[in-house]
Amino acid sequence: MLLLAIVIVYQMVEIVDAYEKKALTVFGEYRKLLQPGINFIPPFVSRTYPFDMRTQTLDVPRQEAITRDNSPVTADAVVYIKVMDAKKAFLEVDDYKRAVSNLAQTTLRAVIGDMELDDTLNKRQEINGRIRRELDEPTDEWGVRVESVEVREVNPSQDVQQAMEQQTSAERRRRAMILEAQGERRSAVEQAEGEKQSNIIRAQGEKQSQILEAQGDAISTVLRAKSAESMGERAIIEKGMESLETIGQGESTTFVLPQELTSLLGRYGRQLTDSDVQEQAGLDSLDFDAETRELLGLDDIEEILGQIDQATEMDVEELEQEAEAIKRGAGTDIRSADAVIDEAAIKDPEDVVADAQAATDTEAPTEQSDEAADDDDRAVEKERE
């Protein structure tokens, strides 16, 4: 009797763990779900079916599928499920784990078959979301919720992998060639830009050199003209002195000097004539007159330098034209040496001598009358004394 009592008590007491629930059947009829803790059930005629209420992991076996672009691939996944209603999981499906696993396999193949190979390799999250949405509706009827689906691997066939490797290598070579071509193009552009800047700087230097050369030519022309003018005066003086020498060798004791010779004698000073002719400026003056200074631009050196700096911004063709114009003397007041000599109206020495003799012949009577008048004045003064 004691042994029978022990057996009956053992059959009547059912202990349920905290993480599970158990379905109770009596004579094969579903009665209720046993909650965690100690539960009493009819002995000998009752059966219990445990259900783990925690999140469970189901491995989806590796599946072979063909993508939409006819590329064979193999894929496997992991499904995370949780029993939400143990009664439905007990009454609506035979084995909910096996059912969810098989449903996940077929859904995985269907989703991969609707996508292209590149999408299956790149869009893992999209595959996971589509599989989960496909599993939600049937598993809800089983009292099971699919919490997450993760595709672990999607592997193309060996031939496809080799083709992908070749494609990747070709793409990398293409990118390398593009980068190399871009580098060469940029190098050529930089080189051309450098040559352009060098040509510009060289042209500006040549332009400034031509400007300075033209100004030097202009100044040299002015100085040559001044020198020619000075040499013309010296020639006049020398011819005049020769004329005086010729006159002095004559038999006449009375001489009439033309105005030109008087002015020339004054330029050489009183030591030559012992006369009181007004002393004039010397020939060897180192100062330029106002006209020459204005022509040479000696008072506007800073302005000329500023104009040179501004001129460097002009085009090379315009610079060459201006330089040629300056070299030809266009637009300037510079006169040639011949023109200066012509304007000086230098007389020939023979003409000077002829003029002097003509003046002597015309003024001789006047001088004789003056001498007679002087004799009369001296006679009058003697009578007064």
Side-chain angles (χ1 to χ4, degrees), residues 141-159:
E141 298 179 356
W142 302 337
V144 179
R145 184 181 70 185
V146 178
E147 293 188 344
S148 178
V149 177
E150 295 293 336
V151 177
R152 289 188 296 191
E153 292 182 0
V154 177
N155 297 322
S157 62
Q158 294 296 328
D159 296 338

Side-chain angles (χ1 to χ4, degrees), residues 191-207 316:
Q191 184 177 1
E193 186 67 23
E195 292 179 356
K196 175 184 174 183
Q197 295 295 333
S198 177
N199 293 333
I200 291 175
I201 294 174
R202 189 181 300 110
Q204 290 179 350
E206 293 177 356
K207 177 178 64 175
V316 177

Side-chain angles (χ1 to χ4, degrees), residues 153-377:
E153 292 182 0
V154 177
N155 297 322
S157 62
Q158 294 296 328
D159 296 338
V160 175
Q161 289 182 4
Q162 293 178 359
M164 291 175 63
E165 290 176 359
Q166 294 177 359
Q167 180 181 2
T168 303
S169 300
E171 181 67 19
R172 290 179 179 176
R173 287 195 299 270
R174 183 182 69 84
R175 292 180 181 178
M177 294 176 64
I178 291 175
L179 292 176
E180 184 178 359
Q182 290 178 350
E184 293 178 355
R185 175 178 175 274
R186 184 173 181 180
S187 176
V189 170
E190 293 292 337
Q191 184 177 1
E193 186 67 23
E195 292 179 356
K196 175 184 174 183
Q197 295 295 333
S198 177
N199 293 333
I200 291 175
I201 294 174
R202 189 181 300 110
Q204 290 179 350
E206 293 177 356
K207 177 178 64 175
Q208 189 171 1
S209 176
Q210 291 175 359
I211 291 175
L212 295 176
E213 182 179 358
Q215 290 186 347
D217 292 342
I219 294 173
S220 176
T221 303
V222 172
L223 294 178
R224 286 198 300 270
K226 289 293 183 180
S227 176
E229 184 178 359
S230 176
M231 292 299 296
E233 290 184 359
R234 292 180 183 274
I236 292 172
I237 294 172
E238 291 177 358
K239 293 295 183 180
M241 296 302 296
E242 291 177 359
S243 299
L244 289 177
E245 183 180 358
T246 303
I247 294 172
Q249 293 175 359
E251 297 178 358
S252 178
T253 58
T254 302
F255 304 99
V256 179
L257 299 179
Q259 182 66 28
E260 290 80 1
L261 290 179
T262 305
S263 60
L264 291 177
L265 292 176
R267 292 183 182 182
Y268 272 95
R270 296 173 181 173
Q271 66 274 13
L272 296 179
T273 60
D274 291 332
S275 64
D276 56 352
V277 178
Q278 184 178 358
E279 185 176 0
Q280 298 182 1
L283 295 175
D284 298 330
S285 175
L286 298 179
D287 296 332
F288 293 103
D289 55 12
E291 181 181 359
T292 304
R293 293 184 63 86
E294 182 180 0
L295 179 61
L296 297 179
L298 299 178
D299 297 331
D300 299 326
I301 297 299
E302 297 296 333
E303 183 178 357
I304 292 175
L305 294 177
Q307 292 177 357
I308 292 175
D309 294 336
Q310 294 179 357
T312 56
E313 300 177 359
M314 299 171 57
D315 295 336
V316 177
E317 295 181 358
E318 295 180 359
L319 173 61
E320 293 178 354
Q321 295 176 359
E322 291 182 2
E324 292 296 332
I326 293 175
K327 288 182 178 181
R328 291 194 301 268
T332 62
D333 294 334
I334 300 174
R335 297 175 298 175
S336 63
D338 295 335
V340 174
I341 294 173
D342 292 339
E343 289 182 2
I346 301 174
K347 296 183 179 179
D348 190 80
E350 296 178 357
D351 295 337
V352 173
V353 173
D355 293 339
Q357 290 178 356
T360 303
D361 294 338
T362 55
E363 294 181 1
T366 304
E367 291 180 355
Q368 292 177 0
S369 61
D370 291 339
E371 290 177 357
D374 292 337
D375 293 337
D376 294 338
D377 291 338

